[in-house]
Amino acid sequence: MSYVQGFLVPVRNADKEAYIASARKAWPIFREYGASACYECWGDEVPEGEVTSFPMAVKLEEDETVVFSWILWPDKTSCDSCVASMESDERWTEMGEMPFDGKRMIYGGFSPVFEGS
């Protein structure tokens, strides 16, 4: 069964195009390591909650938008291999600084329990 890696990141509105460009540069590397799909979604309707919410989770600032993204892998082993490559594959370093605050990024790996289509 497939494996999903999910992310929430706060991105400055002024950095939207830089974020998209970074995602486009990263996709061929993810694909080389086995990813079958990648979605980068710019927040459109992301309400502030009373107890918890996406904006609260990333400590969203006024000039930022929440980006919700995920990568679909054939299995956890492929995902783990890609993550490990970030220490040794020079292409990750060559991409330069990421256009978001990585300290406020939330991420995790997920094993699907249902897939509908």
Side-chain angles (χ1 to χ4, degrees):
M1 187 174 253
S2 58
Y3 190 73
V4 178
Q5 204 179 17
F7 309 87
L8 279 180
V9 294
V11 179
R12 286 185 31 214
N13 295 324
D15 291 338
K16 181 177 181 179
E17 293 307 317
Y19 183 87
I20 294 167
S22 177
R24 286 188 174 131
K25 286 181 189 174
W27 169 240
I29 305 171
F30 287 131
R31 187 174 50 212
E32 183 179 311
Y33 280 96
S36 57
C38 178
Y39 294 84
E40 298 285 351
C41 306
W42 193 261
D44 179 37
E45 187 176 334
V46 187
E48 186 73 47
E50 289 184 33
V51 178
T52 188
S53 65
F54 285 159
M56 292 168 85
V58 298
K59 298 183 188 303
L60 194 69
E61 296 176 4
E62 192 167 320
D63 65 337
E64 295 177 328
T65 297
V66 175
V67 174
F68 175 51
S69 60
W70 67 95
I71 302 171
L72 185 61
W73 299 94
D75 51 49
K76 185 176 187 315
T77 302
S78 299
C79 176
D80 290 346
S81 175
C82 184
V83 170
S85 80
M86 293 179 181
E87 298 295 322
S88 58
D89 189 327
E90 294 176 1
R91 294 176 295 177
W92 296 114
T93 305
E94 291 168 1
M95 287 187 59
E97 192 171 326
M98 294 293 103
F100 59 86
D101 183 352
K103 292 179 182 175
R104 293 186 287 143
M105 175 175 67
I106 297 171
Y107 62 93
F110 302 85
S111 296
V113 294
F114 172 79
E115 292 183 28
S117 57

